Amino acid sequence: MKVPSEQQAMYKVAERLAELVDVDPAEFHLEARHGAAHADSVLHVGPYTFVVEWKGSGTTAAVSAAIERVLDISRDFGGAVVPLVAVPFMGEVGRERCAAAEVAWLDLSGNARIFAPGLRILAEGKPNRYKRRGRPSTAFAPKSSRIARWLLMHPDEPLTQREIARATGTDEGYTSRVVGKLEDDGLIIRNSNGAIRPRDPDLLLDAWREDYDFSKHHLIRGHIASRSGDTLLRQLVKGLKQASVQYAATGLAAAWLLDRFTGFRIVTLYLAEEPSPDLFAALSFREDAPGANVWFVIPNDEGVFQGAAIQDGIRCVHPVQAYLDLKAHPERAGEAAQRLRDEHLRWRTDD
């Protein structure tokens, strides 16, 4: 379905709000506002007044900009309005950011979260009605994401496109196109010399997390008998070193190596090459066995090894990569990811 124009969208938002608040559609009044000092619209729906900021995309960057603007404008109204962000479809990260900022949201796909005095509306589970056909343009495709990773590894260092290209093994033309996309999405800023850095590293990481799909790597699950996750990890690393196979720990094993946050059962290792039957035999690895406790991952791009470092004698991916990969892991992966972010991915932000 085609995304509506801003004017069409605002009428759809008003109608949906009337339905959610349970008032007659005739009882809403839409005030169009224009200019940098105004929200897109002020909607009077029954006894409630909503200050609405519409974005034609639910990307992390777009939603974050809308939150900042609608909160700023709402302050001029005092406490008598409900700040609300409206988009075609609100993704997971956008929902999290709205909740953290205490901003209501609504999407034209049928989902909403509106908590305000005398009002508590939660509608979830509706699919995205505005998916674009074909492969969407993104700065976080496997090879493209090398640029975001490098920027997050050096968040306070303004970098030229040539420096980024050399560091990530991409040509300058390719780097320029990816940087352009990041700039269009409001995720990076340039200094007077044209060097770039993240506008807000947290925003860049959230945008990447929303787009990231661990299942796009080639995953081989299996089982190796062992007493504990730590013992299994060291057993595997010893075997891989003997076979001269390049590896890096990620997921729960990486979280353990980086922070010792929690024990783990599943050991996840990136391998630079497809493992051979002889390697499986040497490791006593049984593929697709019940109770799999080993995930070998053949990455869809070698960039996952960027920033890998030795932790307690074991090569481990950079905290940025470990954080992204934990999204697809079971056990206490959610808690481990948050701990990594709190302890290893805290950045100073300023414009």
Side-chain angles (χ1 to χ4, degrees):
M1 184 179 293
K2 185 179 178 181
V3 174
S5 67
E6 181 177 312
Q7 185 178 18
Q8 292 170 329
M10 292 314 306
Y11 277 99
K12 288 178 180 288
V13 169
E15 290 171 352
R16 179 60 174 152
L17 280 172
E19 179 185 351
L20 290 169
V21 176
D22 194 22
V23 301
D24 190 305
E27 291 186 40
F28 77 74
H29 172 61
L30 189 156
E31 261 182 74
R33 300 291 185 99
H34 301 286
H38 299 290
D40 290 330
S41 287
V42 175
L43 292 175
H44 303 280
V45 182
Y48 305 102
T49 299
F50 297 88
V51 176
V52 183
E53 186 70 14
W54 162 257
K55 292 292 182 183
S57 165
T59 63
T60 301
V63 171
S64 297
I67 290 171
E68 185 176 343
R69 188 157 185 252
V70 78
L71 283 175
D72 187 49
I73 295 168
S74 294
R75 293 186 187 100
D76 295 336
F77 288 83
V81 298
V82 180
L84 183 140
V85 171
V87 294
F89 179 78
M90 185 70 79
E92 177 186 351
V93 175
R95 298 179 191 207
E96 292 173 0
R97 286 197 159 236
C98 284
E102 297 183 350
V103 168
W105 63 266
L106 174 155
D107 68 32
L108 299 186
S109 295
N111 305 289
R113 185 184 186 276
I114 305 172
F115 291 179
L119 196 60
R120 189 176 180 86
I121 296 168
L122 184 61
E124 296 182 319
K126 300 294 185 181
N128 186 356
R129 299 173 60 195
Y130 297 89
K131 280 187 177 180
R132 294 180 180 177
R133 292 183 179 179
R135 187 173 180 177
S137 174
T138 174
F140 305 112
K143 185 177 178 180
S144 303
S145 62
R146 296 184 195 180
I147 282 83
R149 186 184 293 102
W150 196 255
L151 290 170
L152 288 170
M153 288 167 56
H154 306 85
D156 299 318
E157 182 181 346
L159 299 166
T160 66
Q161 290 183 183
R162 177 168 293 180
E163 289 171 333
I164 294 170
R166 288 174 176 171
T168 58
T170 55
D171 66 63
E172 290 187 39
Y174 184 88
T175 300
S176 178
R177 290 192 294 275
V178 176
V179 167
K181 177 61 177 169
L182 290 169
E183 195 164 24
D184 289 344
D185 289 343
L187 296 171
I188 60 174
I189 55 175
R190 293 181 184 269
N191 65 15
S192 57
N193 296 320
I196 65 170
R197 64 179 176 86
R199 178 182 297 278
D200 175 351
D202 282 313
L203 178 59
L204 178 57
L205 182 58
D206 278 343
W208 188 3
R209 175 168 66 96
E210 185 168 48
D211 196 79
Y212 187 70
D213 186 352
F214 183 74
S215 70
K216 296 298 184 182
H217 300 297
H218 175 39
L219 181 59
I220 305 171
R221 293 183 174 90
H223 186 271
I224 295 176
S226 189
R227 296 190 307 273
S228 69
D230 185 53
T231 301
L232 176 58
L233 174 61
R234 297 181 188 283
Q235 178 183 336
L236 280 165
V237 167
K238 181 179 179 181
L240 293 170
K241 285 181 176 179
Q242 289 174 345
S244 299
V245 175
Q246 183 184 357
Y247 75 92
T250 190
L252 292 158
W256 167 256
L257 291 168
L258 290 163
D259 201 67
R260 291 296 193 272
F261 172 61
T262 184
F264 59 97
R265 187 183 70 85
I266 295 173
V267 174
T268 307
L269 296 170
Y270 279 116
L271 303 182
E273 59 191 68
E274 191 84 23
S276 67
D278 288 344
L279 178 61
F280 283 166
L283 296 173
S284 300
F285 177 83
R286 292 183 295 119
E287 189 174 354
D288 293 327
N293 60 352
V294 177
W295 292 5
F296 287 133
V297 187
I298 316 304
N300 55 16
D301 183 73
E302 64 187 38
V304 299
F305 294 107
Q306 279 182 326
I310 301 298
Q311 302 285 343
D312 196 14
I314 296 172
R315 193 169 185 236
C316 179
V317 297
H318 190 273
V320 166
Q321 188 65 49
Y323 174 79
L324 293 169
D325 291 335
L326 281 165
K327 177 180 176 181
H329 282 68
E331 302 174 28
R332 298 179 65 188
E335 295 171 70
Q338 189 58 53
R339 180 62 173 263
L340 273 185
R341 189 147 185 175
D342 291 343
E343 299 298 327
H344 297 274
L345 300 172
R346 294 182 67 86
W347 294 289
R348 175 179 61 83
T349 60
D350 56 66
D351 284 346

